[in-house]
Amino acid sequence: MAVPIAVLDCDLLLYGRGHRTLDRFKLEDVTDEYLVSTYGFPRQFICYLVDLLGATLSRPTQRSRAISPETQILAALGFYTSGSFQTRMGDAIGISQASMSRCVANVTEALVERASQFIHFPKDEATVQTLKDDFYGLAGMPGVLGVVDCTHVAIKAPNAEDLSYVNRKGLHSLNCLMVCDSRGVLLSAETHWPGSLPDCAVLEQATLTSQFETELHKDGWLLGDSSFLLRTWLMTPLHIPETPAEYRYNMAHSATHNIIERTFRTIRSRFRCLDGSKGTLQYSPEKSSHIILACCVLHNISLQHGLDVWSAPATGHMEQSEEEYEQMESVDSEACRVRQELLLTHFS
């Protein structure tokens, strides 16, 4: 009985069953320039990921031939940084498009498992104080623990007729809530919220809110734009500044908050799978959320390795906060008192 060629593994046709591990590509055989241009990262960074994820990616498999952790990581980096499963990417490391897809799934889950290791707020007092000092050095805004904003990442329409992912521009997306420090290091990343939710609703339901209201530092705050409600732990700009102190506050707030916008630009520039230039993420909302989070983990790891957060040019398109120009009025009298005290103490 003839076997349809469509069900055969392309890797099997090319390489046969001779080896259990397909070491098709060797880092030592290519230049640093090639690695950066093709996979987006230098050799040292890639070797670190192999050490970090190698044990997870070498888990027992039902397949007779396993793809090496090194090859899986190169395949995933190629997708994250190019946004494509192009044949030339698979050809470069000797695997099929189907295997490329499996590699991306494996590496993505391995990175998501380690998200809390690389994305978190500092806990010891000395590091928290350094965080505040670094923010204060930017524009004179005291007590800042992070800057927060949302950004939309386009995804394909879910199979079900689910309008919850349709944003105000009529596109399917995930609304991602993120916080970063003064260097662009992500301190929090929630990437799973449906695109129909406005920023203020995302924050209302986010883990971030419960953290700050129940356990995180009481002697500081986040900075958010006018799409969020003022809270005791979240300082927003004044809608209509009237006094010199209010103008100074708004200017310092804007200059400091701009860090998160620059961080978004850098992430979409480095990880082109998120910027929309190759189309939407062709996965379910859950898998798309995991890919975004995996890129956030890689973003932080890249900063740990001295890869300048601001070095990459802004390219492509990534949906920004849709409530950027909406003004939210707070009814929290205690939050208003905290902001007024901040104005009098530091900006008058």
Side-chain angles (χ1 to χ4, degrees), residues 162-197:
D162 189 348
L163 297 179
S164 66
Y165 292 95
V166 179
N167 61 34
R168 292 172 58 185
K169 294 183 179 180
L171 304 174
H172 290 83
S173 69
L174 291 169
N175 195 3
C176 305
L177 179 73
M178 301 187 192
V179 180
C180 74
D181 70 9
S182 62
R183 294 177 51 239
V185 175
L186 294 174
L187 306 175
S188 177
E190 299 185 35
T191 60
H192 61 284
W193 297 103
S196 65
L197 286 179

Side-chain angles (χ1 to χ4, degrees), residues 1-9 13:
M1 177 178 177
V3 179
I5 191 69
V7 304
L8 295 179
D9 189 336
L13 295 176

Side-chain angles (χ1 to χ4, degrees), residues 201-223:
V202 168
L203 183 64
E204 184 68 30
Q205 302 175 49
T207 301
L208 179 70
T209 293
S210 61
Q211 286 178 322
F212 266 82
E213 291 186 345
T214 61
E215 62 187 70
L216 282 182
H217 318 284
K218 302 299 183 181
D219 57 344
W221 37 71
L222 302 178
L223 297 187

Side-chain angles (χ1 to χ4, degrees), residues 126-343:
T127 307
V128 170
Q129 188 57 52
T130 298
L131 184 66
K132 295 179 183 179
D133 292 343
D134 289 344
F135 271 119
Y136 186 78
L138 293 176
M141 180 69 76
V144 180
L145 299 169
V147 288
V148 59
D149 208 347
C150 288
T151 189
H152 287 252
V153 177
I155 63 172
K156 74 172 184 178
N159 293 329
E161 290 298 322
D162 189 348
L163 297 179
S164 66
Y165 292 95
V166 179
N167 61 34
R168 292 172 58 185
K169 294 183 179 180
L171 304 174
H172 290 83
S173 69
L174 291 169
N175 195 3
C176 305
L177 179 73
M178 301 187 192
V179 180
C180 74
D181 70 9
S182 62
R183 294 177 51 239
V185 175
L186 294 174
L187 306 175
S188 177
E190 299 185 35
T191 60
H192 61 284
W193 297 103
S196 65
L197 286 179
D199 294 0
C200 59
V202 168
L203 183 64
E204 184 68 30
Q205 302 175 49
T207 301
L208 179 70
T209 293
S210 61
Q211 286 178 322
F212 266 82
E213 291 186 345
T214 61
E215 62 187 70
L216 282 182
H217 318 284
K218 302 299 183 181
D219 57 344
W221 37 71
L222 302 178
L223 297 187
D225 64 18
S226 296
S227 64
F228 299 113
L229 286 169
L230 178 71
R231 300 169 184 259
T232 56
W233 50 268
L234 177 65
M235 294 292 103
T236 60
L238 289 143
H239 180 21
I240 304 176
E242 297 177 347
T243 68
E246 291 175 345
Y247 276 102
R248 286 192 288 269
Y249 167 85
N250 270 13
M251 290 178 63
H253 187 292
S254 177
T256 307
H257 187 265
N258 184 54
I259 295 295
I260 189 70
E261 297 167 6
R262 295 172 66 188
T263 300
F264 287 157
R265 289 195 296 269
T266 296
I267 291 173
R268 72 172 181 267
S269 177
R270 180 167 281 158
F271 303 107
R272 300 295 296 278
C273 67
L274 307 181
D275 75 357
S277 65
K278 301 292 184 180
T280 62
L281 283 175
Q282 297 297 301
Y283 297 92
S284 67
E286 180 182 8
K287 289 184 178 180
S288 295
S289 170
H290 285 186
I291 288 173
I292 300 166
L293 185 56
C295 290
C296 290
V297 173
L298 289 173
H299 168 79
N300 275 10
I301 296 176
S302 70
L303 293 184
Q304 288 184 1
H305 282 73
L307 301 180
D308 186 0
V309 66
W310 314 128
S311 61
T315 57
H317 178 67
M318 187 185 210
E319 292 291 329
Q320 295 299 309
S321 168
E322 301 204 356
E323 292 72 47
E324 183 176 358
Y325 299 108
E326 291 188 3
Q327 301 294 331
M328 304 294 294
E329 296 297 334
S330 177
V331 295
D332 188 335
S333 59
E334 179 62 17
C336 291
R337 185 197 64 77
V338 171
R339 185 170 64 181
Q340 187 61 30
E341 182 177 334
L342 176 61
L343 279 163

